C-alpha cells in the first residue's frame, strides 16, 4: 500500500562513471556498490514533483504545490542481492519534504529552478546552507528503445537510507520511463564534491524523460535480518 502518490515530470538523468572504491567509501555498512561492467555510476537527476498527495485523494484534489527536486544518487545492493538507490543528497524546494529526514533521507532545502524553451531544458539550484549548487542545460532528442545499460541506470524500484543504526528500504512503483536521447549543453555542479567524491573526470551520459504520472511510494521499513547479517559478515572481513 502506498503512503504517497505523485507524478515526476521533466526529468533528466546525467550519469558519470566512478571507480567502485570511491563510491563504496560513502556507503554505510550493509550496502555494497552496484556496478555495470565493473564501473560504479553516480547520477544527477533533476525533475519536477507534481500531484503529491496521500492515497485515497484523486489527482484533482489539492495536495502539495508543484516543486522542483534534484537527486544525486548511486546504485547499491544489499548482501542478499536486492538492488536499489542510495541518495548522496536530495535538493528540494519544498520544506515539507524535510520530514523524510526522519528515515535518513538526505534532504537539503534550497532555491531550485526549472525552465524549458523549444530546444532546451534548464535546471539550477543552490542550497540555503552549505554552498553546494548546480546548473544544467540539456537538449532532449528522439525517443529511444532502452538498452540494458539505459534500464540499469534509470529503473530502480527501491531506495535505501540509514537511520537509527539500521538500513531502511522504501519501495517505489511507477510505469516504465519513456526515455529520450539528451545532449548536455552545459553542466556545472559542486554536489559531487560536497558528497565526498572527486569531481567527475569523464563526459556524462544523459537521458531525458517527459516523466511518469503514477508514482507510488511505500512506507519505509527496516531491512530484513538477512541484510543485517550480511552487513555483519562484511564488517568481519
Amino acid at each position: 500500500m502506498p503512503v504517497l502518490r505523485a507524478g515526476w515530470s521533466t526529468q533528466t538523468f546525467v550519469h558519470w562513471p566512478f571507480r567502485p572504491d570511491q563510491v563504496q567509501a560513502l556507503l554505510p555498512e550493509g550496502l555494497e556498490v552496484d556496478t555495470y561492467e565493473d564501473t560504479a555510476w553516480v547520477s544527477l537527476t533533476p525533475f519536477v514533483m507534481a500531484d503529491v498527495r496521500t492515497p485515497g485523494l484523486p489527482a484533482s484534489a489539492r495536495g502539495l504545490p508543484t516543486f522542483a527536486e534534484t537527486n544525486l544518487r548511486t546504485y547499491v545492493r544489499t548482501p542478499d542481492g536486492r538492488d536499489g538507490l542510495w541518495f548522496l543528497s536530495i535538493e528540494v524546494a519544498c520544506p515539507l519534504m524535510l520530514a523524510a529526514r526522519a528515515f535518513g533521507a538526505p534532504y537539503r532545502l534550497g532555491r531550485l529552478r526549472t525552465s524549458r524553451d523549444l530546444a532546451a531544458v534548464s535546471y539550477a539550484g543552490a542550497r540555503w546552507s552549505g554552498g553546494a549548487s548546480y546548473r544544467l542545460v540539456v537538449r532532449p532528442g528522439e525517443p529511444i528503445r532502452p538498452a540494458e545499460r539505459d534500464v540499469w541506470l534509470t529503473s530502480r524500484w527501491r531506495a535505501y537510507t540509514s537511520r537509527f543504526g539500521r538500513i531502511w528500504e522504501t519501495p517505489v512503483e511507477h510505469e516504465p520511463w519513456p526515455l529520450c536521447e539528451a545532449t548536455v549543453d552545459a553542466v556545472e555542479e559542486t554536489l559531487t564534491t560536497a558528497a565526498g567524491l572527486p569531481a567527475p573526470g569523464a563526459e556524462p551520459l544523459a537521458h531525458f524523460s517527459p516523466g511518469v504520472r503514477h508514482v507510488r511510494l511505500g512506507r519505509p521499513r527496516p531491512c530484513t535480518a538477512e541484510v543485517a547479517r550480511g552487513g555483519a559478515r562484511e564488517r568481519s572481513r
Side-chain angles (χ1 to χ4, degrees):
M1 290 292 295
V3 297
L4 198 68
R5 294 180 179 269
W8 295 338
S9 68
T10 321
Q11 176 136 352
T12 292
F13 304 84
V14 176
H15 318 278
W16 291 285
F18 282 88
R19 294 200 324 262
D21 64 294
Q22 294 173 322
V23 176
Q24 185 65 52
L26 303 180
L27 301 181
E29 294 178 340
L31 291 179
E32 305 165 2
V33 61
D34 199 6
T35 61
Y36 188 86
E37 296 181 347
D38 299 323
T39 298
W41 290 83
V42 172
S43 302
L44 181 70
T45 59
F47 62 100
V48 174
M49 286 272 278
D51 302 325
V52 181
R53 61 197 188 281
T54 56
L57 290 178
S60 58
R62 190 173 182 84
L64 294 182
T66 297
F67 59 90
E69 182 173 320
T70 294
N71 301 330
L72 186 71
R73 70 191 202 181
T74 192
Y75 306 89
V76 298
R77 285 185 179 274
T78 58
D80 62 355
R82 292 168 61 81
D83 66 4
L85 299 174
W86 175 261
F87 293 108
L88 299 168
S89 64
I90 305 176
E91 317 302 314
V92 70
C94 176
L96 292 177
M97 297 301 291
L98 299 182
R101 287 176 173 176
F103 294 98
Y107 276 96
R108 302 291 189 92
L109 194 63
R111 303 179 300 275
L112 279 67
R113 177 177 58 81
T114 301
S115 61
R116 185 170 188 175
D117 58 28
L118 293 177
V121 184
S122 300
Y123 308 89
R127 290 179 187 167
W128 285 111
S129 61
S133 63
Y134 63 92
R135 184 179 77 89
L136 173 66
V137 181
V138 297
R139 283 184 288 117
E142 295 298 318
I144 64 171
R145 176 174 293 179
E148 181 182 70
R149 186 176 65 172
D150 302 319
V151 175
W152 190 93
L153 286 167
T154 59
S155 299
R156 299 296 173 110
W157 308 110
R158 59 188 66 86
Y160 294 106
T161 55
S162 179
R163 185 69 166 167
F164 310 122
R166 303 197 66 174
I167 301 297
W168 295 72
E169 174 185 320
T170 301
V172 181
E173 292 183 350
H174 56 75
E175 62 269 36
W177 286 107
L179 294 177
C180 301
E181 299 172 345
T183 301
V184 177
D185 282 350
V187 58
E188 302 167 2
E189 59 83 28
T190 59
L191 297 178
T192 50
T193 54
L197 288 165
E203 291 298 315
L205 171 69
H207 301 90
F208 177 80
S209 178
V212 288
R213 297 182 57 191
H214 305 292
V215 180
R216 299 169 296 282
L217 301 175
R219 185 182 304 278
R221 59 199 180 204
C223 284
T224 63
E226 176 63 27
V227 171
R229 288 196 295 271
R233 287 197 297 271
E234 288 297 308
R235 292 193 296 272
S236 69
R237 291 181 180 175

